[in-house]
Amino acid sequence: MTFETEKEIEKFGAELSLDLSVFDQLFLKKVIHNRMNVRECSGSAYYLEYINKFPDELEIFKDQLSNSHSEFFRNPFTFSLLENVIFPDLIRSLANNKSREIRIWSAGCAAGQEPYSLAILLDHLKNSQSGTFNSRIFATDHLSEQLTLANKGVYEFNSVRNIRLELIKKYFSKQGDSFVLNKQIKDQVDFSEFDLHSTDTKVPPSSIYGDFDLVICSNVLFYYCDTVQKEILAKFQKSLKPGG
């Protein structure tokens, strides 16, 4: 089997008791062939035999389907736009809002780099904006081990290399080779487990009702097929407050 058709991939997934239909076909083929090459398996039958013999390979394969690589301030243009345009506009819009609260959903948050980047920006802006405001950031991922890392808030250099030096000095402490995030930033983010293509819930339960000013979902959608992408985007749209 060379995995050239959807039926071949569907059959492969059935053998592993996995629903692979939600993923983008090109992405799936790349992951499968990569693992087959790593394990030097010349065909699907040999790879299935390898998985049955070494169950840890199945976990590695599933991890490859849930790429959790992330960095602080990944995609610099996006964060520049947030810092200089979007967040200042949101802060100004709070002038007539009694709650004076900005609500954000970071979907597919991995080990917390994205939501903590948002929290750092907002905290930094509080020093340069007139008046006061609160922010609540709800960060979700479907991998509990990633959420455990996020709650610890300890990162290696590769994760923080995009952060401006002034912000590293202000919000992190250096412990050996690691950078430890300050408690004041950690306390601004609520982490919870959430499956984006689940039909059971539309928003993170901890947010209660959604009503977000901003939804951020970076480097996630392209792993999924068109149908699932549309379902996720529809969920995001319904979770936003008017004008969000």
Side-chain angles (χ1 to χ4, degrees):
M1 188 182 295
T2 56
F3 303 106
E4 295 302 325
T5 69
E6 290 185 21
K7 286 187 177 180
E8 290 174 340
I9 291 178
E10 183 180 345
K11 182 179 178 181
F12 178 76
E15 293 284 348
L16 299 176
S17 300
L18 295 176
D19 179 11
L20 301 180
S21 64
V22 299
F23 295 103
D24 174 76
Q25 294 294 299
L26 291 177
F27 166 66
L28 264 177
K29 291 175 184 178
K30 181 179 179 181
V31 171
I32 293 171
H33 286 293
N34 177 62
R35 294 312 304 167
M36 287 173 60
N37 289 334
V38 168
R39 297 309 183 189
E40 298 182 345
C41 297
S42 58
S44 63
Y46 294 104
Y47 186 49
L48 288 170
E49 184 179 336
Y50 187 95
I51 289 175
N52 289 328
K53 188 175 181 180
F54 302 101
D56 286 350
E57 175 62 22
L58 179 58
E59 297 307 311
I60 294 173
F61 175 67
K62 289 192 288 188
D63 284 344
Q64 293 289 306
L65 297 177
S66 303
N67 192 325
S68 297
H69 172 75
S70 189
E71 302 170 14
F72 281 84
F73 295 91
R74 191 178 182 183
N75 305 319
F77 176 78
T78 298
F79 281 96
S80 178
L81 188 65
L82 286 167
E83 182 177 15
N84 296 293
V85 179
I86 296 175
F87 280 163
D89 283 349
L90 282 175
I91 294 168
R92 283 191 291 269
S93 73
L94 293 175
N96 298 317
N97 187 330
K98 292 182 179 179
S99 70
R100 296 195 61 77
E101 180 179 83
I102 295 173
R103 292 171 61 86
I104 299 172
W105 179 10
S106 171
C109 67
Q113 295 93 332
E114 178 179 272
Y116 284 144
S117 295
L118 300 172
I120 286 171
L121 274 188
L122 285 168
D123 191 82
H124 187 64
L125 284 171
K126 284 180 182 179
N127 299 324
S128 58
Q129 298 287 330
S130 58
T132 59
F133 65 91
N134 298 315
S135 59
R136 299 189 67 187
I137 300 174
F138 300 88
T140 64
D141 201 277
H142 72 289
L143 296 175
S144 58
E145 57 268 29
Q146 288 295 310
L147 297 174
T148 298
L149 293 173
N151 279 304
K152 289 181 179 178
V154 179
Y155 300 93
E156 301 306 315
F157 173 75
N158 283 342
S159 288
V160 304
R161 59 185 176 180
N162 293 329
I163 307 178
R164 299 196 299 267
L165 183 59
E166 61 172 321
L167 298 181
I168 287 184
K169 289 181 177 180
K170 184 176 181 180
Y171 296 111
F172 291 84
S173 59
K174 189 82 160 52
Q175 294 185 7
D177 294 330
S178 300
F179 294 82
V180 182
L181 189 65
N182 291 355
K183 187 177 184 298
Q184 69 181 89
I185 295 298
K186 290 175 62 178
D187 289 346
Q188 294 179 36
V189 182
D190 176 279
F191 290 99
S192 62
E193 193 168 340
F194 187 85
D195 189 343
L196 283 176
H197 49 85
S198 169
T199 57
D200 295 331
T201 52
K202 299 186 184 304
V203 297
S206 57
S207 74
I208 303 176
Y209 53 86
D211 204 31
F212 299 112
D213 296 282
L214 176 69
V215 176
I216 299 263
C217 182
S218 303
N219 305 293
V220 172
L221 289 178
F222 57 77
Y223 293 120
Y224 296 108
C225 66
D226 289 346
T227 300
V228 173
Q229 286 184 15
K230 291 175 182 176
E231 290 172 353
I232 293 173
L233 288 171
K235 182 176 292 189
F236 291 157
Q237 186 176 27
K238 291 177 182 177
S239 75
L240 288 166
K241 66 172 55 174

Coordinates of all heavy atoms in Angstrom, one line a residue, residues 154-158 160 168 172-181:
V154 N 7.9 27.0 32.3 CA 9.3 26.9 32.2 C 9.7 26.6 30.8 O 9.2 25.6 30.2 CB 9.9 25.8 33.2 CG1 11.4 25.8 33.1 CG2 9.5 26.1 34.6
Y155 N 10.6 27.4 30.2 CA 10.9 27.2 28.8 C 12.4 27.3 28.5 O 13.2 27.9 29.2 CB 10.2 28.3 28.0 CG 8.7 28.3 28.1 CD1 8.1 29.1 29.1 CD2 7.9 27.5 27.3 CE1 6.7 29.0 29.3 CE2 6.6 27.4 27.5 CZ 6.0 28.2 28.5 OH 4.6 28.2 28.7
E156 N 12.8 26.6 27.4 CA 14.2 26.7 26.9 C 14.4 27.8 26.0 O 13.4 28.5 25.5 CB 14.6 25.3 26.2 CG 14.4 24.1 27.1 CD 15.1 24.2 28.4 OE1 16.3 24.6 28.4 OE2 14.5 23.9 29.4
F157 N 15.6 28.1 25.6 CA 16.0 29.3 24.8 C 15.2 29.3 23.5 O 14.8 30.4 23.1 CB 17.5 29.4 24.6 CG 17.9 30.5 23.6 CD1 17.9 31.8 24.1 CD2 18.2 30.2 22.3 CE1 18.2 32.8 23.2 CE2 18.6 31.2 21.4 CZ 18.6 32.5 21.9
N158 N 15.1 28.2 22.8 CA 14.5 28.2 21.5 C 13.0 28.7 21.5 O 12.5 29.2 20.5 CB 14.5 26.8 20.9 CG 15.9 26.4 20.3 OD1 16.7 27.3 20.1 ND2 16.1 25.1 20.2
V160 N 11.9 31.1 23.6 CA 11.9 32.6 24.0 C 12.7 33.5 23.1 O 12.8 34.7 23.3 CB 12.3 32.8 25.4 CG1 11.4 31.9 26.4 CG2 13.8 32.4 25.7
I168 N 11.9 40.0 28.3 CA 12.5 38.9 29.0 C 12.9 39.3 30.4 O 12.7 38.6 31.4 CB 13.7 38.3 28.2 CG1 13.2 37.6 26.9 CG2 14.5 37.4 29.1 CD1 14.3 36.9 26.1
F172 N 10.5 37.3 32.9 CA 11.2 36.0 33.2 C 12.3 36.1 34.1 O 12.9 37.1 34.3 CB 11.7 35.4 31.8 CG 10.7 35.0 30.8 CD1 10.1 36.0 30.0 CD2 10.2 33.7 30.7 CE1 9.2 35.6 29.0 CE2 9.3 33.3 29.8 CZ 8.7 34.3 28.9
S173 N 12.6 34.9 34.8 CA 13.8 34.8 35.6 C 14.6 33.6 35.0 O 14.0 32.6 34.6 CB 13.4 34.5 37.1 OG 12.6 33.3 37.2
K174 N 15.9 33.8 35.0 CA 16.8 32.7 34.5 C 17.1 31.8 35.5 O 17.6 32.1 36.6 CB 18.0 33.4 33.9 CG 18.9 32.5 33.1 CD 18.4 32.3 31.7 CE 19.5 31.9 30.7 NZ 20.2 30.7 31.1
Q175 N 16.9 30.5 35.3 CA 17.3 29.4 36.2 C 18.1 28.4 35.4 O 17.5 27.6 34.7 CB 16.1 28.8 36.9 CG 15.4 29.8 37.8 CD 14.2 29.1 38.6 OE1 14.1 27.9 38.5 NE2 13.5 29.9 39.3
G176 N 19.4 28.4 35.5 CA 20.2 27.5 34.7 C 20.1 27.8 33.2 O 20.2 29.0 32.8
D177 N 19.7 26.9 32.4 CA 19.5 27.1 31.0 C 18.0 27.4 30.7 O 17.7 27.5 29.5 CB 19.9 25.8 30.2 CG 21.4 25.6 30.3 OD1 22.2 26.6 30.4 OD2 21.8 24.4 30.2
S178 N 17.2 27.5 31.7 CA 15.7 27.7 31.5 C 15.3 29.1 31.8 O 15.9 29.8 32.6 CB 15.0 26.7 32.3 OG 15.3 25.3 32.0
F179 N 14.2 29.5 31.2 CA 13.5 30.8 31.5 C 12.2 30.5 32.2 O 11.3 29.8 31.6 CB 13.4 31.6 30.2 CG 14.7 32.0 29.5 CD1 15.4 31.1 28.8 CD2 15.2 33.2 29.7 CE1 16.6 31.4 28.2 CE2 16.4 33.6 29.1 CZ 17.1 32.7 28.4
V180 N 12.0 31.0 33.4 CA 10.8 30.8 34.1 C 9.9 32.0 34.1 O 10.4 33.1 34.5 CB 11.2 30.4 35.6 CG1 9.9 30.1 36.4 CG2 12.1 29.2 35.6
L181 N 8.7 31.8 33.7 CA 7.8 32.9 33.5 C 7.3 33.4 34.9 O 7.0 32.6 35.8 CB 6.6 32.5 32.7 CG 5.6 33.5 32.3 CD1 6.2 34.5 31.3 CD2 4.4 32.9 31.6

